[in-house]
Amino acid sequence: MKTMVLASPEMEQEYSLKFPNRAYLYLQDPAELGLWLNQVEVVFDLLLHEQPERLAQYAKAEKGNDLVVFCNAAKLQLAAFVKEHGPVNFHLCGVNALPSLFNREVLEISVLKPESEKEVKRVMEVLGTGYELVADRVGMVTPRVLCMIINEACYTLQEGTASKEDIDLGMKLGTNYPFGPFEWANKIGVANVYELLEAVYEDTKDERYKICPLLKTAYLKGEEL
């Protein structure tokens, strides 16, 4: 199975850690896509959510309906993405590719169309990883829950109830998570946490996702938590 990866250097490194024994073509410059696209069957385009103009390129690929494209769908709904930037005639799938969340034992995956599920199964079997299909919704499952926890931790810190260190330690001891909420926020990236919560709140209008001012300030200043 010939695979191409378009990603930042950091996410390409995480991909290589996730699939250490699988050969793939890595493109850091999307301008080179046209040179290689017709030679691959599967694309992990982890920049597509920010560069949707490539949907048209994938739609014109020689593989046509057989091409499988995975994009970072943590902050978007595939159906809405395609409605705005499509159409597509290939298998468009979403994957939880936030930093530090891609290289996990089980990949979190969404699909635009039900018929793509068998293609996901085939690809994941070849790559040798577990996966879980989730609904095509903004925030998927793990990113939505984790970012909500981070946001609640920010409210707790803002109110002066506990320190960052105590909150992180309490979460690790109480839930057996590998990181506390502030540690995880910095691994995922404060900007990613903020933008995901913003997207989920816009989608749901659920007060649980209303962004804490402390988190917003860190985002605006480009600071870690």
Side-chain angles (χ1 to χ4, degrees), residues 62-198:
E62 288 182 3
K63 297 289 182 183
N65 296 342
D66 295 327
L67 182 67
V68 183
V69 178
F70 292 91
C71 69
N72 184 355
K75 303 177 194 175
L76 59 85
Q77 181 183 30
L78 295 176
F81 187 61
V82 169
K83 180 72 173 177
E84 183 175 359
H85 303 290
V88 302
N89 60 344
F90 51 90
H91 298 283
L92 180 63
C93 308
V95 64
N96 174 11
L98 289 179
S100 80
L101 297 182
F102 183 83
N103 182 22
R104 302 168 72 220
E105 185 176 349
V106 176
L107 282 181
E108 197 168 325
I109 295 174
S110 59
V111 295
L112 178 64
K113 300 176 182 179
E115 53 265 34
S116 297
E117 292 182 11
K118 64 180 182 180
E119 291 301 314
V120 169
K121 183 177 185 224
R122 177 181 67 85
V123 172
M124 294 302 114
E125 284 177 349
V126 172
L127 292 176
T129 184
Y131 72 96
E132 183 171 350
L133 287 172
V134 300
D136 177 26
R137 293 187 61 192
V138 177
M140 305 185 86
V141 176
T142 302
R144 178 188 294 238
V145 171
L146 188 53
C147 289
M148 183 174 66
I149 290 171
I150 291 168
N151 198 44
E152 288 297 326
C154 287
Y155 276 114
T156 300
L157 179 64
Q158 180 176 275
E159 293 163 0
T161 306
S163 68
K164 288 182 186 180
E165 294 74 18
D166 287 342
I167 294 170
D168 277 343
L169 181 60
M171 181 169 172
K172 287 187 284 189
L173 293 177
T175 64
N176 202 31
Y177 278 21
F179 308 108
F182 296 106
E183 293 171 328
W184 224 328
N186 295 328
K187 286 181 176 294
I188 295 171
V190 170
N192 284 321
V193 173
Y194 177 90
E195 290 165 5
L196 186 140
L197 287 168
E198 186 177 47

Side-chain angles (χ1 to χ4, degrees), residues 4 46 50 79 127 129 154 157 166 177-178 189 209 211 217 224:
M4 178 191 297
L46 305 184
E50 297 175 343
L127 292 176
T129 184
C154 287
L157 179 64
D166 287 342
Y177 278 21
Y209 305 107
I211 297 171
T217 299
E224 291 191 338

